[in-house]
Amino acid sequence: MNEQESNVSFFRFEDLRIYAKAHDYILWVHNATNNFPVEKKCTVTDAFVKAAQGIALNMAEGSARNKTQFVYYLKMSKSSLRECVVYTEIAAKLGLLNDEQREYSRNQLMELTKMIGSLISSLQRSTTTFDRTDELDDMGDIM
């Protein structure tokens, strides 16, 4: 086995840059919410962390499926991401995140949104190309 093969993960989703970025965001949320007061931990912290984890969890789940289902799970990742936008705003309005943290969270979420959107587009293009090729093959059988 060459070095290139040994660097490839058994779980292919772990090789996605977007998955690594989602993990970075999860860690950031954990660190940011550790400083929240105890009385806010149950209401905001748990939901915020769960939403952040949902971004990566949906990617992982979808990666084991066919392309159409993977796109569905990537869209679910975007739903989790939008939840994080809401929790970012709630935490900021409660004074739990400062302006710099709020801005960092929003920027990371915007970047993740763009990356997921690009991956969805790429998967849909390759599926569409595949479907059209199948149609042409079927037409060839008719002629």
Side-chain angles (χ1 to χ4, degrees), residues 18-74:
I18 189 166
Y19 178 76
K21 185 142 190 79
H23 257 266
D24 291 344
Y25 185 72
I26 293 166
L27 294 175
W28 181 85
V29 170
H30 272 283
N31 290 331
T33 58
N34 272 342
N35 298 323
F36 289 7
V38 174
E39 64 272 8
K40 303 291 185 194
K41 285 205 182 268
C42 290
T43 57
V44 178
T45 301
D46 294 344
F48 198 174
V49 169
K50 185 176 179 181
Q53 291 171 340
I55 299 167
L57 289 169
N58 280 303
M59 277 182 226
E61 177 68 23
S63 70
R65 311 289 179 120
N66 65 42
K67 284 184 185 180
T68 302
Q69 291 171 328
F70 190 21
V71 167
Y72 169 80
Y73 279 95
L74 288 170

Side-chain angles (χ1 to χ4, degrees), residues 1 6 8 13 15 31 33 44 46 50-51 55 62-63 67-68 71 81 85 95 103 111 117-119 126 138:
M1 182 183 328
S6 67
V8 175
F13 64 88
D15 294 331
N31 290 331
T33 58
V44 178
D46 294 344
K50 185 176 179 181
I55 299 167
S63 70
K67 284 184 185 180
T68 302
V71 167
L81 198 145
V85 172
E103 199 60 34
E111 189 172 343
S118 294
L119 182 53
S126 66
D138 291 343

